[in-house]
């Protein structure tokens, strides 16, 4: 289902999906990876602990060609990845703001520069850095059901986000 938002000037687009199992999550991740817009985008991932944010990121990174172990950035806040894909080199930054509580770290750690660089930025717990994060191109909100299925709400905030929303 696709809805078009009607706020002033805000061409937000929303799409609802259900991922019945982790394989469905992986399939959508592969579709996102195949979308050219993924090469310069900020995707914010919302959802409770265990909702599947890191799982989605791992499938996306694998689909983009990241090999080896994929660490969760919870303690480091950001894990950088570099891939050399068919369309050339791609920088990816995987953020987890769960323990982010000092906005000075935003400047000190150079996050402003990372977000201004071309590449893919993925952020778990974006709400914990709401005062400093730039607006996302695409927000993916995950909701776990007891049967392992995930209810997924995609909201696009830019043309890149719209391309990703349509690809997922
Ligand atoms: P978060 O990063 O949101 O806290 P994780 O991705 O670390 O969550 O954990 C989600 C857990 O749920 C993983 O153990 C994953 O294997 C499991 N899981 C079960 N079904 C799904 C699904 N449909 N999509 C994503 N993860 C799923
Ligand atoms: Mg996580």
């Amino acid at each position: 289902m696709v809805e078009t938002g009607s706020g002033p000037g805000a061409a937000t687009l929303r799409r609802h999906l259900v991922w019945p199992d982790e394989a469905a999550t992986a399939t959508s991740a592969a579709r996102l990876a195949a979308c050219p817009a993924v090469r310069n985008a900020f995707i914010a991932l919302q959802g409770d602990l265990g909702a599947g944010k890191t799982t989605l990121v791992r499938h996306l990174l694998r689909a983009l060609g990241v090999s080896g172990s994929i660490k969760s950035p919870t303690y480091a806040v950001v894990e950088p990845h570099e891939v050399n894909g068919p369309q050339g080199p791609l920088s990816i930054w995987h953020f987890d703001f769960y323990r982010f509580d000092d906005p000075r770290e935003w400047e000190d750690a150079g996050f402003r520069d990372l977000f201004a660089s071309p590449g893919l930025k993925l952020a778990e717990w974006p709400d914990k850095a709401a005062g400093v994060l730039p607006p996302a191109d695409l927000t993916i909100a995950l909701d776990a059901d007891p049967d392992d299925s995930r209810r997924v709400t995609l909201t696009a905030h830019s043309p890149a986000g719209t391309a990703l929303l349509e690809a997922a």
Side-chain angles (χ1 to χ4, degrees):
M1 180 169 54
V2 176
E3 303 153 18
T4 308
S6 57
T12 58
L13 199 65
R14 189 158 286 170
R15 184 175 173 205
H16 300 280
L17 298 173
V18 174
W19 293 335
D21 50 27
E22 196 176 321
T25 300
T27 299
S28 259
R31 290 196 194 124
L32 289 169
C35 176
V38 83
R39 296 180 57 80
N40 190 19
F42 168 26
I43 302 178
L45 300 156
Q46 296 177 331
D48 292 340
L49 275 177
K53 303 180 293 297
T54 303
T55 302
L56 173 60
V57 169
R58 287 205 168 103
H59 285 296
L60 182 52
L61 294 179
R62 287 274 180 254
L64 286 165
V66 174
S67 52
S69 72
I70 298 176
K71 273 189 288 178
S72 185
T74 298
Y75 295 97
V77 181
V78 62
E79 285 294 333
H81 302 275
E82 287 281 337
V83 290
N84 211 336
Q87 290 150 51
L90 171 65
S91 299
I92 307 164
W93 294 280
H94 175 197
F95 294 86
D96 186 328
F97 291 109
Y98 189 70
R99 286 180 174 75
F100 183 82
D101 51 16
D102 183 357
R104 279 173 304 179
E105 191 182 352
W106 181 258
E107 298 293 340
D108 297 349
F111 293 163
R112 180 186 299 278
D113 299 331
L114 295 189
F115 271 90
S117 307
L120 174 62
K121 304 99 195 175
L122 301 159
E124 301 185 41
W125 297 103
D127 296 353
K128 306 234 181 201
V132 286
L133 269 182
D137 295 293
L138 179 71
T139 303
I140 303 180
L142 301 172
D143 222 331
D145 279 332
D147 63 356
D148 272 358
S149 70
R150 298 297 189 266
R151 275 173 291 127
V152 187
T153 304
L154 302 120
T155 310
H157 313 280
S158 73
T162 300
L164 290 162
L165 174 146
E166 285 168 350

